[in-house]
Amino acid sequence: IEVRELAKRISSELGYAILTGGGPGTMEAANHGAIEGNGTSLSINIKLPREQSQNPYVKDSADFAYFFVRKTIMTFAAEAYIFSPGGFGTLDEFFDIITLIQTKKIPPVPIILLGKDFWQPLDEFIKNNLLRIHEAISPEDVNLYRIMDNHDEILEVIKKAPTQNWWKDFEII
């Protein structure tokens, strides 16, 4: 998975800011790609007992003590979500986003799962167990996300997505 190159292209060709959790590995690659694409490289960090260091490619960041606050900020005005292989935090954020879209709490935006080898078993579980066996989701729910590896196709999906302007009139009560 070439996260760095994809982030560079999203930044340079589409003009989007790249927002990550600010840590090492995949997040660092994405922030690095944003810088290489002359784009905006941001992070929203979570304070953890075993502190992760912020990667050197983050140009602006905010720190949060609680996951729920961080996730609210993350979901507020994104034009697309790209999830790379990760751990429980990645899965938590993925399921949170698809649940918010499924329940129409946020507008639909592209949710792209990068890395077929990682995401395909989860996709099979969702389709077999949640949809077919237990009927816990609707058939259209499996269309809330796409598993993709081709960068050109990913950029096309993002380009064709409607711009999200709903938040401009949002009032915090």
Side-chain angles (χ1 to χ4, degrees):
I1 302 168
E2 298 173 0
V3 172
R4 184 170 154 187
E5 183 61 30
L6 179 59
K8 178 181 176 181
R9 289 188 64 192
I10 291 170
S11 211
S12 65
E13 295 176 32
L14 303 181
Y16 284 107
I18 302 297
L19 175 68
T20 74
T26 302
M27 294 178 280
E28 182 172 339
N31 290 122
H32 192 170
I35 297 301
E36 289 180 331
N38 295 314
T40 304
S41 175
L42 307 169
S43 77
I44 48 176
N45 302 314
I46 189 74
K47 296 175 186 173
L48 300 170
R50 293 177 298 210
E51 293 295 324
Q52 69 179 15
S53 60
Q54 181 170 286
N55 76 66
Y57 301 102
V58 170
K59 297 306 173 198
D60 199 6
S61 67
D63 293 331
F64 296 93
Y66 301 101
F67 279 104
F68 75 92
V69 176
R70 178 178 178 255
K71 287 196 305 185
T72 300
I73 298 299
M74 180 181 71
T75 61
F76 186 63
E79 300 287 333
Y81 298 95
I82 300 175
F83 291 94
S84 297
F88 289 133
T90 300
L91 294 173
D92 175 53
E93 290 170 356
F94 165 66
F95 281 114
D96 190 46
I97 296 299
I98 62 172
T99 301
L100 290 170
I101 291 173
Q102 176 202 43
T103 58
K104 301 187 182 349
K105 297 298 181 185
I106 62 173
V109 296
I111 300 172
I112 298 163
L113 306 179
L114 187 62
K116 288 182 183 179
D117 62 324
F118 181 85
W119 295 104
Q120 198 64 45
L122 179 62
D123 183 51
E124 290 170 13
F125 174 82
I126 290 169
K127 289 175 179 171
N128 289 329
N129 291 288
L130 298 180
L131 179 61
R132 291 186 190 103
I133 296 171
H134 297 285
E135 299 177 352
I137 61 173
S138 300
E140 61 271 11
D141 292 341
V142 297
N143 299 320
L144 294 173
Y145 61 90
R146 296 174 70 170
I147 300 172
M148 306 176 75
D149 284 333
N150 182 293
H151 293 188
D152 292 330
E153 292 173 4
I154 291 169
L155 266 64
E156 278 304 307
V157 166
I158 295 170
K159 272 192 237 180
K160 290 178 181 176
T163 303
Q164 301 299 320
N165 291 320
W166 66 273
W167 53 269
K168 289 182 180 177
D169 297 322
F170 184 77
E171 288 185 40
I172 298 176
I173 299 174

